[in-house]
Amino acid sequence: MKKHTTDMWKIIHIPDKLPIPPNQQPTVNVLASVIDPKHANTLIRRLNQIAPLKNVCHVKRIRKKHLEGGKTQLSVILCLASEDNSLLNSLPQDVQELSDSYQLSPFVTKVCKYAATSKEEWEEQCKLWPTSYHPPTYNIDGITGFSEEDSLSILSFMKVAIELAKSGDGLIVNAAVIVDPSVQQIITNGCDQIFSWHAPMNKTCIRNDCIEQSTNLDSHQSNGVASTVTEVLPNASPSEPESLSCAVSCLNPWKWSEQQSDTANSYYCHPLRHAAIVAIESSADRDRRLFPDLGDAEEKSFETSQSSHVVAMVKRQKTSVANVEKKEADPPNMPSNSVPERPYLCTGCDIYLVWEPCIMCAMALVHQRIRRIFYAFPNPNNGALGSLHRLQGEKSLNHHYAVFRICVPEEALDIAGNRKSC
Amino acid sequence: MDSHVEEGCSSETLTFMELAIEQAKDALNSLEVPVGCVIAEDGKVIASGRNRTTETRNGGVIPKKKKKRVDVIWTRIGDCISIKALKTSNLPSLYSWTLIVVGTSLNFLWQATRHAEMEAIDALLEQWQKSGLSVSEVAEKFSACSLYVTCEPCIMCAAALSILGIKEVYYGCANDKFGGCGSILSLHSSSSKLPKSGNIAQRKDFKCTGGIMALEAVSLLRRFYEQGNPNGRGMCWFISITSTLYEDLEAKLSG
């Protein structure tokens, strides 16, 4: 059925800091020389003693260059060059002696000043002079790459989100799917509801809609399969007239006020009901439904057994926090058949969004303690996770999620061309 | 830049901020982070809101139980009153139990995004929708509204206020961690980060004035955090009370 295969979909981590364009990394000058390969070991040992590469440990001492005719040429860094231009070519005395005794001819060259933070940077660095690269090993799963299995499930959840985005009445909107990755289950979902075209007038009904949707989803999940959700939403023919397909609220949050007012009185309008916000609300609703008696928590807490349950819950939460800050094991795997523990907000959960969220949604996801965000399409004018802002790198915030983009072919939305007109 | 002087404030501004403080106090009484706000139009308050992250959305306050021991939920370390409440409740006396006061509201913190501003905005939209306003009328209304909030709107709320196109915002204390009106980001003024533009709708700026009755706002927050934020992660308390300890406490209380 799908014309796009998942093989084409790639998951990229969107880092906390704006990466420097790989070819514009700061450099420092060093003095190097071509050497005779048979002296390599001796020279390197000696140089490491008399002129260690302080502050540029990532730079390799030796460079091997392949020349024409299958020959190789070895060069070695003698020392860092003086920052004083007039002394650029002068070597410290012991290095000079070494150089003289091996008849080296020093030349000035550039190496990258800082260790690479990504593979792309590293590849670029090596064009100047080889460096070593250690991929980040910290915190949240996936930053260092996904296993085949994880990738597949990530892509399948994104597909659910994309189907949702297409499921409106010919209108492509943003869609959000919140997933508990520890049990591979969809917790809830939401679509943009700024204008719910055929939505009932009052909010209660809208909210009931949400609840029904997620209830249906729950029943899907009980089979352990996060299958498609299209059937729980009004089925619709995607790619209707082009003018209708630009309703993604995060792409231009200010657009609502320009809405034609001809039908204005007949529909529900809430300019802030972006998909992520709707999904957050829906997940909170779900928690309230699943844990309706939490108002009676004291009954439980009087019993030792129950209290350990609460303790476990708190511990779990702490573990998740620790996961973010240090490297730690996965959150405890919960038995899927038992009643799930009451989650603390969306701690430990992932959200899949078809479009990169705007700053309002991105901050709401911080407040709700989402662990990872996956989005498919960037939001060049208003995106808060790398495009216009980079909220994941805002150090003052009390929570940080990891952000990934899943490169999805535009055909996945059947709106190639339309998006550009937005 | 925002002015941080109170002298220059009109009495109207102060009056509205006082009402916002009242909302914040209401939040404090419900063990919510004490932030409150009012929205005014033409010199009249048309909506108000306060933090409501732990309560159910449809205004239903988590019911205070008839049974007395529910008071325990709000127990804090050293809070003798609730220990008394415990005493009067029908505890299974032979039962060895553990009372856990875990930022009780850990149980209740449902939606951390229900900030005062969001509450007020939702109330307003509901109200306008009931009176059948069209989208353009709603937009027009917002552009005539002023928000008075005890603490600088967070990044989320500041973005929301800009999306709605509110006219102006007056706030009490700054929000060093999350502030979206100058502290962390400046979402009220787009000058710094203009989009490449095109035929997209213009983003909307709003006038923002901080430091109105900041001391009052801060003192409420301080009270909340000093008594311990029941929602905060770092503030989970465990009081293990065995029945013996309970006897001790009882003795102490009566003695």
Side-chain angles (χ1 to χ4, degrees):
Chain A
M1 169 211 155
K2 299 264 189 286
K3 46 186 172 181
H4 45 271
T5 62
T6 44
D7 313 344
M8 304 165 57
W9 299 25
K10 212 172 103 190
I11 309 171
I12 327 172
H13 175 231
I14 311 286
D16 300 350
K17 281 188 237 128
L18 186 66
I20 311 162
N23 56 0
Q24 291 172 26
Q25 298 179 68
T27 57
V28 286
N29 287 321
V30 293
L31 284 154
S33 171
V34 175
I35 57 161
D36 186 336
K38 63 181 182 232
H39 297 140
N41 278 338
T42 326
L43 276 171
I44 286 170
R45 207 171 302 138
R46 183 79 186 115
L47 282 167
N48 282 343
Q49 283 168 0
I50 61 176
L53 294 177
K54 268 189 217 152
N55 302 326
V56 284
C57 313
H58 60 284
V59 176
K60 294 196 171 163
R61 192 104 218 182
I62 199 158
R63 175 177 70 178
K64 190 178 190 178
K65 222 178 189 175
H66 294 277
L67 302 174
E68 285 169 34
K71 285 185 189 167
T72 58
Q73 182 198 57
L74 289 187
S75 312
V76 69
I77 295 176
L78 300 175
C79 61
L80 293 171
S82 166
E83 282 171 29
D84 185 341
N85 268 337
S86 60
L87 298 169
L88 193 62
N89 289 305
S90 66
L91 295 168
Q93 201 188 341
D94 38 4
V95 180
Q96 184 69 56
E97 284 165 13
L98 191 75
S99 170
D100 291 344
S101 61
Y102 285 90
Q103 293 165 352
L104 304 179
S105 39
F107 60 91
V108 177
T109 188
K110 289 181 189 310
V111 300
C112 281
K113 193 173 180 184
Y114 304 111
T117 55
S118 69
K119 201 164 164 256
E120 291 70 32
E121 279 184 20
W122 175 63
E123 281 166 357
E124 200 62 38
Q125 291 193 344
C126 292
K127 290 179 190 167
L128 287 178
W129 189 278
T131 60
S132 52
Y133 168 55
H134 302 286
T137 49
Y138 59 97
N139 63 53
I140 306 173
D141 310 341
I143 288 178
T144 54
F146 292 97
S147 69
E148 180 76 24
E149 194 190 345
D150 285 346
S151 302
L152 282 177
S153 89
I154 286 164
L155 297 186
S156 76
F157 287 127
M158 182 53 86
K159 280 184 179 173
V160 173
I162 290 175
E163 288 307 311
L164 260 174
K166 296 195 283 191
S167 65
D169 292 338
L171 203 68
I172 300 210
V173 295
N174 204 0
V177 174
I178 298 181
V179 170
D180 181 347
S182 65
V183 287
Q184 295 277 308
Q185 275 185 4
I186 294 181
I187 287 189
T188 188
N189 64 66
C191 286
D192 285 343
Q193 285 182 354
I194 290 187
F195 303 109
S196 297
W197 244 253
H198 302 297
M201 276 296 284
N202 69 57
K203 192 192 252 173
T204 339
C205 294
I206 295 271
R207 299 187 63 235
N208 285 345
D209 275 359
C210 279
I211 291 168
E212 272 162 33
Q213 280 174 20
S214 36
T215 317
N216 283 341
L217 268 176
D218 288 345
S219 62
H220 279 294
Q221 289 157 23
S222 56
N223 305 327
V225 188
S227 60
T228 170
V229 291
T230 37
E231 62 223 71
V232 302
L233 288 157
N235 229 333
S237 49
S239 60
E240 281 274 291
E242 298 194 355
S243 56
L244 288 179
S245 62
C246 298
V248 176
S249 40
C250 285
L251 285 179
N252 186 353
W254 290 272
K255 200 177 177 183
W256 67 275
S257 60
E258 294 180 351
Q259 202 57 47
Q260 303 295 317
S261 57
D262 47 348
T263 49
N265 285 331
S266 63
Y267 54 67
Y268 173 83
C269 161
H270 193 313
L272 306 180
R273 290 187 69 79
H274 294 197
I277 304 284
V278 173
I280 287 173
E281 185 182 300
S282 164
S283 95
D285 281 342
R286 175 183 179 271
D287 288 347
R288 289 186 194 108
R289 268 183 296 116
L290 289 181
F291 303 89
D293 56 345
L294 274 175
D296 301 329
E298 80 288 356
E299 309 254 352
K300 293 175 183 169
S301 58
F302 285 166
E303 297 164 40
T304 324
S305 60
Q306 289 292 344
S307 58
S308 63
H309 164 88
V310 182
V311 174
M313 187 181 79
V314 175
K315 274 189 184 154
R316 181 197 168 205
Q317 179 206 333
K318 284 198 171 149
T319 316
S320 319
V321 175
N323 264 338
V324 176
E325 272 141 21
K326 294 171 220 143
K327 194 182 178 182
E328 261 206 24
D330 282 336
N333 41 343
M334 288 182 301
S336 49
N337 53 348
S338 71
V339 179
E341 288 171 9
R342 155 84 167 95
Y344 174 71
L345 301 172
C346 289
T347 302
C349 289
D350 299 340
I351 191 167
Y352 293 77
L353 286 159
V354 180
W355 271 274
E356 178 188 358
C358 68
I359 187 85
M360 175 184 71
C361 295
M363 189 62 197
L365 294 168
V366 171
H367 285 315
Q368 202 69 4
R369 310 284 199 278
I370 282 278
R371 191 174 70 130
R372 298 186 297 188
I373 299 179
F374 297 88
Y375 69 81
F377 300 108
N379 178 354
N381 289 325
N382 291 300
L385 303 178
S387 295
L388 181 63
H389 300 282
R390 195 172 285 264
L391 211 57
Q392 65 269 45
E394 226 31 270
K395 289 289 169 246
S396 76
L397 304 181
N398 62 347
H399 173 77
H400 297 92
Y401 36 59
V403 179
F404 302 88
R405 181 183 164 197
I406 305 179
C407 297
V408 174
E410 284 195 22
E411 306 89 83
L413 281 171
D414 285 329
I415 55 155
N418 289 358
R419 240 166 31 86
K420 293 184 181 92
S421 66
C422 288
Chain B
M1 206 29 229
D2 309 336
S3 62
H4 285 267
V5 277
E6 211 153 297
E7 293 80 51
C9 292
S10 70
S11 63
E12 187 186 77
T13 307
L14 292 177
T15 312
F16 287 142
M17 192 57 85
E18 266 164 28
L19 292 171
I21 297 260
E22 284 309 308
Q23 290 290 319
K25 284 182 183 161
D26 185 29
L28 185 69
N29 290 335
S30 308
L31 295 171
E32 294 269 4
V33 177
V35 177
C37 74
V38 297
I39 297 180
E41 184 195 15
D42 294 337
K44 272 186 296 221
V45 170
I46 52 171
S48 64
R50 57 132 170 120
N51 262 18
R52 211 173 282 271
T53 54
T54 65
E55 292 173 10
T56 52
R57 175 77 197 299
N58 39 17
V61 177
I62 290 200
K64 292 245 171 176
K65 287 291 156 56
K66 296 102 213 168
K67 283 183 273 172
K68 253 211 165 146
R69 61 179 170 187
V70 127
D71 296 342
V72 174
I73 289 204
W74 308 128
T75 302
R76 297 205 169 80
I77 291 175
D79 189 347
C80 292
I81 295 162
S82 16
I83 300 289
K84 272 181 191 159
L86 246 183
K87 200 176 112 188
T88 53
S89 65
N90 298 323
L91 280 175
S93 52
L94 295 175
Y95 208 75
S96 167
W97 46 268
T98 313
L99 164 66
I100 301 186
V101 185
V102 183
T104 55
S105 305
L106 198 58
N107 290 337
F108 296 136
L109 187 54
W110 300 108
Q111 203 177 339
T113 56
R114 296 311 305 168
H115 292 181
E117 298 92 324
M118 293 299 190
E119 287 290 319
I121 288 164
D122 279 6
L124 212 49
L125 279 166
E126 208 161 325
Q127 194 180 312
W128 287 342
Q129 197 198 330
K130 271 184 195 146
S131 34
L133 294 194
S134 70
V135 175
S136 51
E137 284 168 326
V138 166
E140 208 183 308
K141 278 268 197 188
F142 272 122
S143 68
C145 282
S146 307
L147 174 86
Y148 298 80
V149 58
T150 56
C151 182
E152 178 189 352
C154 79
I155 290 168
M156 172 187 73
C157 293
L161 292 164
S162 162
I163 290 172
L164 298 174
I166 202 152
K167 183 175 143 209
E168 53 187 353
V169 169
Y170 295 91
Y171 66 81
C173 55
N175 186 340
D176 302 335
K177 276 189 167 171
F178 310 110
C181 295
S183 291
I184 307 299
L185 296 179
S186 293
L187 300 167
H188 61 297
S189 76
S190 54
S191 50
S192 52
K193 284 203 166 186
L194 274 174
K196 302 281 184 299
S197 186
N199 56 349
I200 55 160
Q202 192 55 51
R203 61 185 58 228
K204 292 166 186 161
D205 289 0
F206 54 85
K207 189 186 143 213
C208 200
T209 313
I212 320 276
M213 297 178 71
L215 282 180
E216 286 87 338
V218 167
S219 78
L220 282 178
L221 287 165
R222 197 168 291 147
R223 257 168 74 191
F224 178 77
Y225 287 107
E226 270 168 12
Q227 72 190 11
N229 173 5
N231 307 325
R233 260 210 212 92
M235 295 284 186
C236 301
W237 305 292
F238 297 85
I239 313 179
S240 292
I241 309 182
T242 61
S243 37
T244 17
L245 180 54
Y246 179 65
E247 303 293 342
D248 281 358
L249 281 169
E250 205 176 11
K252 264 184 205 159
L253 283 171
S254 49

